[in-house]
Each structure stands twice: as C-alpha cells, then as structure tokens.
Amino acid sequence: MTNVTMTVNGKAVSGDVEGRTLLSSFLREGLGLTGTHVGCDTSQCGACVVHVDGKPVKSCTVFALDVAGAAVKTIEGMANADGSLGVIQQAFQDHHGLQCGFCTPGMVMSAAALLADNPKPTESEVRHYLEGNICRCTGYHNIVKAVLAASGQDVAAVAAE
Amino acid sequence: MHNFDFVKPSSVADAVRALSAEGAQALSGGQTLLPTMKQRLAAPAVLVSLTGIADTKGVSLSGGALSVGGATTHAVVAQEARKHYPALADLAGGIGDPAVRSRGTIGGSLANNDPSACYPAAVLASGATVITDRRRIAADDFFQGMFATALHDGEIITGVLFPIPEKAAYVKFNQPASRFALTGVFVAKYGSGVRVAVTGASANGVFRWTEAERALSASFTPAAIAGLSLPSEGMIADLHGSAAYRANLARVLTGRGVASAH
C-alpha cells in the first residue's frame, strides 16, 4: 500500500491505496464519496465522470496514484455553499433531466466541464459533448434542455421540445 | 485486475530506467490499457506512468513542422493544433469522448497501434517522424501491422513531428458504440504530392492507398478517385461491416476527405 494525497472538493485528503486502486474506488470506498457512480467499469458509460484539475475524466479509468496531488471535484462539490442545489443540478431538477438518476452525477460533471469551456453551447454542441455519458431512461431530450437552461439560454427554442 | 507496483518518473531517462525492470509496462493516458488490465489481458508487474514528464507535453512549431509531445492529450492537440494544422486538430477532437480526450495521449495511441485508432492515419498520411528516447522513426517504417510497431521493449515515444500540409482532412465513419473508426481516411496534400492513409479497414492496421495517392497527386478532386477501388482481401470483417463494405467505405471517405480538405 502507498499513501496518496490529493485535494477533493477543496479539502486535502489522503489514504492508503494499491497500485491498482482506481480513482473511483478511492473516492467511493476510501473517502465515502458515493455520489460518483460506477456504471459499466469499462469506460463506456460516463457515470463516474469527475474533474481532475478542471478536466472531465472517467474516474474508473484512472489510477488514484496517477492523480496524486491533483485537484479533484466530484458531484458532492457541485452544491452551493449553503447546501442548496448548484445551477446545473437545479436545472436538471427543473427540466426533469433524470429518471432513475444513476447517470446523473456523470451528466452533471460533464455538463459543468462543457459550460466552463463553452458557456453558451448550441443544442448540437451539448449533444455532441455528452456522447460519452449514457442515459438509459430519458432519451436525452430533458438532459439537453437542462444543460441549455443552466447556460441561461431559452430552452423553448430547443428543437427537441 | 492484478496488482502492480506504480512508479511515476519525472524525466525520460528515469522512465527508461524504470522500464528496464522485469515485467514493466509504460502507462500513458491509460484509456486502452486500463480496460485491458481489467480484463486481465495485460498484467504488468510494474506500471511506469509517463504523464509526469513535463517536457513530453505540448504543441509547438518547429522549423515549419508541428511538434507534438508524446504525452500530449487529445484535448490539448484539438485545441492547440487548430491554427497550425486544423485537420490534425479535427482528428484529435473526434477521438472517443471529452473525458477520454482529457487523458488519452498521442504517444499512447501510436505505441498501441490499434487497427481502428485515429492517430496512426494522421501520422502516416503526414509522413510524420516519430521521435523516441533513442532515435527518430519515419512513419512509413513505424507501423508494422495490427498492434505492432517498430518500437523496442522499453522505448518511449517522446514526440511526433508533423510536416504541415497545404490542405488536409480526416473523415471518420464512427463505430457508434466505441467511437473508434469503423473506417477512417486521412488525406494530406503536400507540394511533393498527396498522401492517403486508411485506418479501421485493414486487418494489418493503418495503410497507405498508393493508387489513390497517384491519382490525387495528378488531380486533387473527388472525381480523380471515383473510378478506383480497393480490394476487399485482408479487410476487417465483423458484425459492424463486411470486408467489402469497409473497402468501399475507404473509397467513399477518401472522396469526402478531398472535398472537405482545408
């Protein structure tokens, strides 16, 4: 076992991990941050997306030791300081951008990464960006609406309406 | 997956030393290697992460060519190559999905030489030079069949030097689940002639379509290759497409590449 330290949601954390410990396992089992979901564990579904130094990554496909020292942000870090839902989370609730909710943490983290790079994406840019996040409930329309709403745009103009 | 010792050197020299250990394997972005290890198709004793070496990252101009560090991620190439070599940026920005592009690297892609990977097509069509810790390898010598390259055990790709073409395009027909190329074609027009590289089609991995290169060097128009055809022998056949389908797709995509080259 090796001790790994990193910053998660603004807090310095550390824990003992094996070489093979995935970032997703360290977050969930080491730190108890079970908001990051492991859907497929094969890099396909995107439920485990977190940010590492501001960039979206699939935490099931990164070793914890390989991101030692990095700043990690998970879904637990997306709420406002007073505990209320962040803008993207609130938009997912307002626009019914989830049904079972399993994919939602990854969707919200990917959406946040998109909006950080591209604050006013088009519908097509949202759909393209979310290619790596699989939802088996919603058919994506309400997720796309939620992301557009979170960007402050008029969702009534969305073709999928 | 089986456990291993993890090391993350900060220089190429230290990485080369670490890779000389018994059962050592290089790890770049890991977007192919981790899934492979989870399936226990690979079980290294030592994993040597190459992403902590600062001087193998980044994109820069170098004597009229574009130099891309071996550990540069697809996301960085998509952004930083844009104004110098837009077709290369297009290719990098179309690999996998955003989260894969945050981690996956050009060196990792080339060292693996997946027969359906995108980067080998750009490197071969550009006549690029693969730079390692010990030598320079011409693209025409680098790719040696499915998952096979000219790299020796423990040799590290530190960078790739791309001559910048007059115009170029990469056109990929996605395998919709994996977003690898069901077939992809990179067309690059240089003063010295046109090079065409096809990925995703041949069971031997990326290859140059020399007949199309000759026709396009004479006339860089889709019509110039309309009458050509690729033989289907040796093409990949699977549930996504037959060998004949891929051979035809390569011809169609070449035409689209010529039409959209910029």
Side-chain angles (χ1 to χ4, degrees):
Chain A
M1 303 283 259
T2 308
N3 192 262
V4 66
T5 62
M6 62 185 79
T7 305
V8 177
N9 300 326
K11 282 191 287 203
V13 299
S14 68
D16 289 334
V17 297
E18 294 183 306
R20 65 183 167 181
T21 303
L22 301 168
L23 177 59
S24 54
S25 310
F26 179 64
L27 293 170
R28 290 176 54 82
E29 293 149 35
L31 303 179
L33 295 173
T34 52
T36 296
H37 289 171
V38 178
C40 65
D41 206 23
T42 57
S43 234
Q44 315 273 327
C45 80
C48 69
V49 168
V50 302
H51 298 179
V52 172
D53 294 330
K55 303 295 178 197
V57 306
K58 295 182 182 184
S59 62
C60 83
T61 310
V62 177
F63 293 118
L65 284 172
D66 213 7
V67 293
V72 176
K73 189 167 187 178
T74 71
I75 189 68
E76 287 89 348
M78 293 301 286
N80 297 321
D82 64 1
S84 62
L85 295 179
V87 171
I88 298 170
Q89 293 171 308
Q90 188 61 53
F92 270 69
Q93 185 183 71
D94 292 345
H95 293 274
H96 204 73
L98 59 146
Q99 289 180 27
C100 86
F102 193 89
C103 73
T104 311
M107 288 287 180
V108 169
M109 299 314 289
S110 283
L114 166 64
L115 296 181
D117 265 2
N118 181 359
K120 299 280 179 209
T122 63
E123 180 192 343
S124 142
E125 286 171 337
V126 173
R127 290 184 184 277
H128 181 62
Y129 197 90
L130 294 178
E131 269 183 355
N133 292 81
I134 309 296
C135 171
R136 300 290 77 174
C137 300
T138 66
Y140 302 100
H141 290 341
N142 288 352
I143 291 172
V144 173
K145 280 168 39 179
V147 177
L148 288 167
S151 74
Q153 300 186 84
D154 179 11
V155 295
V158 176
E161 182 73 21
Chain B
M1 71 180 77
H2 294 289
N3 203 16
F4 51 83
D5 291 329
F6 180 88
V7 292
K8 190 167 182 175
S10 55
S11 74
V12 172
D14 287 348
V16 169
R17 254 190 302 280
L19 282 169
S20 67
E22 182 73 26
Q25 156 81 46
L27 166 70
S28 197
Q31 301 303 287
T32 296
L33 184 56
L34 266 74
T36 307
M37 290 173 64
K38 287 180 181 183
Q39 292 176 47
R40 298 188 174 179
L41 295 172
V46 181
L47 212 48
V48 181
S49 172
L50 302 180
T51 54
I53 307 171
D55 58 6
T56 59
K57 292 184 189 180
V59 177
S60 60
L61 278 178
S62 168
L66 194 69
S67 169
V68 180
T72 310
T73 64
H74 310 326
V76 168
V77 174
Q79 196 163 32
E80 295 186 7
R82 174 75 46 202
K83 64 178 180 288
H84 306 296
Y85 194 165
L88 183 66
D90 291 343
L91 175 146
I95 297 172
D97 56 55
V100 167
R101 295 194 287 272
S102 296
R103 294 292 301 173
T105 69
I106 184 170
S109 171
L110 296 176
N112 192 46
N113 193 19
D114 188 296
S116 299
C118 296
Y119 263 127
V123 169
L124 190 58
S126 304
T129 302
V130 178
I131 302 165
T132 76
D133 59 275
R134 60 200 75 170
R135 59 186 169 140
R136 298 159 75 92
I137 308 171
D140 286 318
D141 301 324
F142 182 83
F143 302 103
Q144 301 192 347
M146 184 181 283
F147 297 112
T149 71
L151 292 173
H152 298 140
D153 281 350
E155 188 170 10
I156 298 169
I157 298 174
T158 56
V160 183
L161 209 52
F162 289 92
I164 298 175
E166 291 168 14
K167 47 168 75 175
Y170 179 61
V171 186
K172 167 164 84 159
F173 193 92
N174 273 354
Q175 203 274 52
S178 72
R179 289 178 292 280
F180 270 84
L182 187 63
T183 290
V185 177
F186 201 106
V187 177
K189 181 177 187 292
Y190 289 89
S192 55
V194 175
R195 288 172 68 108
V196 178
V198 181
T199 188
S202 168
N204 247 336
V206 69
F207 68 95
R208 282 172 67 187
W209 185 13
T210 49
E211 194 185 8
E213 290 180 353
R214 276 193 297 277
L216 291 169
S217 295
S219 165
F220 194 68
T221 60
I225 55 135
L228 304 184
S229 63
L230 270 166
S232 57
E233 287 80 38
M235 293 291 177
I236 298 168
D238 58 23
L239 77 169
H240 307 295
S242 66
Y245 179 81
R246 280 183 164 85
N248 185 61
L249 195 52
R251 181 184 61 82
V252 170
L253 296 180
T254 302
R256 290 181 191 171
V258 172
S260 64
H262 57 287

